[in-house]
Structures are given as C-alpha cells and as structure tokens.
C-alpha cells in the first residue's frame, strides 16, 4: 500500500473514533417520568425535558422560589406529558424567564424529588411576530 492510502485510512479511523465517543455524550429529549426511571436504573446522563412554567388560571407564573443570595432558584415546570416537577437551577434567574413560552431544562435527577438543571433554554415571545394591521380600504 502507498503511504497516502495508509494515512487516509488512519484519518478515517480517527474520525470514526471521535464520532463514536461523541455519540455517548449526547443527551435525549425525554419526560420527567422517563428521567426518573433512568435515575432508578443508575443512569446519570444529561436529559433534555421540554415543557412550560407552571401558571395560575390568570396566566401568572407560580412556584418560583429564589434563594436569599439570588444565585440559585427553584421553579415548577410542567412537561409535555403534563407531569409537574420542581426544578433546581444553581444560577441566577435568567432575564425574561417569567415571559418564556417554552422551557427546555438539561440535567438529571440528583434526588427522587428534585430535577437538577445544568442548563436552561427558553423560547420567549418574539417581538417580530406579525401583527394584524388594519388599513383603510383594504
């Protein structure tokens, strides 16, 4: 074999090893129920849970408890299956957190009762949404 072929095969082999090692670190979108089952089985990999903040009948966000030093907080979240869960985030409350339409928490259960979020992703209402414009004569 030529040296070029051997070098090419070596590069391909290294690329395959990198891809396979990265697949083991990826997290999946799950529900709180699935995340709890994974905790019981001893799996501690990061999980994405999609849902909304718990809101009252009037539409106000409820269940947010900011710690005294304002460096961490708890909040109530409802996943897409309707499961309500208390979530802990060890960072300050993100800007516009109360206004978010959808929340993705990335983390896992450290105890049976509380989901520990390592990261929070929010979908906030867009200021660029189309609004209905009434024009005369149209």
């Amino acid at each position: 074999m030529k040296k070029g072929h051997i070098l090419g095969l070596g590069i391909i082999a290294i690329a395959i090893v990198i891809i396979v090692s990265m697949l083991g670190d990826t997290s999946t979108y799950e529900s709180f129920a699935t995340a709890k089952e994974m905790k019981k089985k001893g799996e501690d990999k990061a999980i994405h849970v999609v849902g909304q903040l718990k809101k009252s009948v009037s539409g106000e966000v409820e269940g947010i408890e900011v710690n005294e030093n304002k460096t961490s907080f708890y909040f109530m979240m409802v996943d897409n299956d309707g499961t309500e869960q208390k979530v802990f985030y060890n960072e300050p409350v993100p800007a516009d957190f109360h206004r978010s339409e959808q929340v993705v928490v990335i983390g896992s259960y450290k105890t049976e009762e509380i989901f520990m979020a390592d990261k929070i992703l929010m979908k906030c209402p867009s200021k660029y949404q189309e609004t209905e414009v009434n024009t005369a004569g149209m």
Side-chain angles (χ1 to χ4, degrees):
M1 286 184 112
K2 294 183 180 181
K3 289 182 182 179
H5 289 116
I6 294 173
L7 181 63
L9 288 174
I11 291 172
I12 291 172
I14 291 171
I16 290 172
V17 168
I18 291 171
I19 290 170
V20 169
S21 67
M22 292 175 96
L23 288 177
D25 294 337
T26 60
S27 59
T28 58
Y29 286 93
E30 302 291 347
S31 65
F32 284 124
T34 307
K36 252 185 196 175
E37 287 299 318
M38 292 175 76
K39 168 69 177 167
K40 288 179 183 175
K41 292 178 184 175
E43 297 178 39
D44 280 338
K45 75 177 197 174
I47 298 170
H48 288 74
V49 180
V50 181
Q52 296 82 29
L53 298 176
K54 182 180 178 188
K55 295 185 179 179
S56 65
V57 177
S58 63
E60 295 292 318
V61 175
E62 57 184 33
I64 295 179
E65 304 169 21
V66 180
N67 289 341
E68 292 176 13
N69 55 11
K70 299 190 184 206
T71 59
S72 62
F73 69 104
Y74 294 90
F75 63 96
M76 294 302 291
M77 184 175 150
V78 181
D79 68 8
N80 289 339
D81 291 344
T83 304
E84 194 173 298
Q85 179 61 53
K86 189 172 194 172
V87 179
F88 175 74
Y89 187 53
N90 197 23
E91 295 287 332
V93 179
D96 293 333
F97 185 69
H98 293 79
R99 293 182 48 214
S100 62
E101 291 177 353
Q102 192 173 39
V103 178
V104 178
V105 290
I106 303 169
S108 61
Y109 279 95
K110 301 299 182 210
T111 68
E112 291 287 323
E113 298 83 33
I114 298 176
F115 186 88
M116 302 284 287
D118 300 321
K119 191 182 256 187
I120 296 177
L121 307 173
M122 300 176 300
K123 179 183 177 191
C124 293
S126 175
K127 62 182 176 181
Y128 301 108
Q129 287 178 345
E130 288 187 37
T131 56
E132 199 172 303
V133 178
N134 294 326
T135 56
M138 292 191 169

